[in-house]
Amino acid sequence: MKLIIDDAHIEQIKRIYKYYPVDGVTTNPTILAASGRKPYDVLKEIREFIGADAELHVQVVAKNCDDMIEDAHRIQKELGKNTFVKIPSIEEGFRAMRLLKAEGANITATAIYTPMQAFLAAKAGASYAAPYINRIDNMGYDGVTIAQHIHDIFKNNNLNANVLAASFKNSQQLLELAEYGIGAATASPDVIFSLVKNDAITSAINVFIRDFEKLCGEGKTMKDCE
């Protein structure tokens, strides 16, 4: 499963890239608004940092097909043809997906709450379908199970698409999807930082260090001991 950062704050992205094996960045209009900066200034900075070949997902804002396509063309012009254009999984969006796919665009179908939306998006040419795990949970359904159903639908129908699960509240949701073999997940920095934040882990490491220092001296490590 690919692990992608769902954020637009460059310092957070740099910190995660420094320590974690991540595969790219996803954004949406709300995330860009939270940065308080001009959208393309932010996105170009992210693209420059992660590199031309890394996955960057950027969402159209227009509501109708023709304007969605114009948004997509501008996104590709500013950020590279390989940028994944996020398109809402609605009627106008499905039409835009089909037309953009014919141009060779990379498409991420977003705003997905049901398996049928994902099925139609994949049929329309989307490479990724992004179900909102936590938002689905808040509607009284099981977001993880929905994502697993979508994964199975893609495989059983030989559709060339993967799940890009989004909207997480905890690391357990990510773990369940990783165990299932979901294609990708995008999570906020807070969720990513929590993946190995555990008092038991910290305690075990501290015990190892204390025991070693008893043997070789305070502050000593393997490079210092005789």
Side-chain angles (χ1 to χ4, degrees):
M1 183 180 79
K2 292 181 180 178
L3 180 60
I4 300 176
I5 306 166
D6 197 27
D7 199 67
H9 292 89
I10 190 64
E11 294 307 318
Q12 291 279 57
I13 292 169
K14 287 180 177 179
R15 181 184 170 194
I16 293 170
Y17 259 81
K18 182 176 181 179
Y19 295 108
Y20 293 86
V22 292
D23 299 285
V25 175
T26 61
T27 63
N28 62 42
T30 301
I31 285 172
L32 291 175
S35 75
R37 299 170 57 199
K38 294 180 179 178
Y40 283 110
D41 288 350
V42 175
L43 292 166
K44 287 180 179 179
E45 190 173 26
I46 294 171
R47 171 56 83 196
E48 182 178 3
F49 173 72
I50 67 176
D53 296 328
E55 287 193 13
L56 177 60
H57 300 247
V58 180
Q59 188 165 330
V60 303
V61 181
K63 290 184 176 180
N64 66 69
C65 173
D66 291 342
D67 290 339
M68 286 179 183
I69 291 173
E70 288 189 14
D71 272 7
H73 289 165
R74 175 73 187 282
I75 289 167
Q76 292 172 321
K77 178 182 177 182
E78 299 288 348
L79 304 168
K81 280 283 190 180
N82 63 326
T83 301
F84 283 82
V85 180
K86 295 175 65 178
I87 299 177
S89 299
I90 57 177
E91 283 187 353
E92 293 288 324
F94 296 139
R95 181 165 182 260
M97 291 177 201
R98 291 168 61 195
L99 294 173
L100 287 166
K101 182 64 176 180
E103 298 177 1
N106 292 325
I107 299 164
T108 298
T110 191
I112 287 178
Y113 290 84
T114 71
M116 185 52 69
Q117 279 181 289
F119 172 71
L120 293 172
K123 291 273 287 181
S127 297
Y128 284 114
Y132 292 161
I133 305 303
N134 196 45
R135 295 188 191 185
I136 293 170
D137 281 358
N138 290 337
M139 293 172 64
Y141 301 98
D142 188 331
V144 168
T145 299
I146 294 291
Q148 292 170 340
H149 286 336
I150 293 170
H151 174 84
D152 291 342
I153 287 169
F154 289 169
K155 301 305 178 186
N156 293 338
N157 289 275
N158 296 314
L159 291 168
N160 189 25
N162 281 299
V163 172
L164 172 54
S167 178
F168 291 95
K169 63 182 177 182
N170 58 54
S171 59
Q172 179 62 31
Q173 294 169 316
L174 273 172
L175 176 60
E176 290 179 32
L177 293 179
E179 289 175 342
Y180 203 76
I182 295 297
T186 183
S188 68
D190 287 346
V191 171
I192 292 175
F193 292 141
S194 75
L195 296 179
V196 292
K197 188 177 181 180
N198 186 303
D199 289 342
I201 297 171
T202 302
S203 176
I205 293 170
N206 288 337
V207 168
F208 291 145
I209 292 171
R210 287 198 302 269
D211 288 346
F212 189 86
E213 288 179 339
K214 292 175 184 177
L215 182 65
C216 292
E218 185 175 352
K220 295 294 181 68
T221 67
M222 288 297 292
K223 71 178 184 299
D224 306 310
C225 65
E226 297 179 359

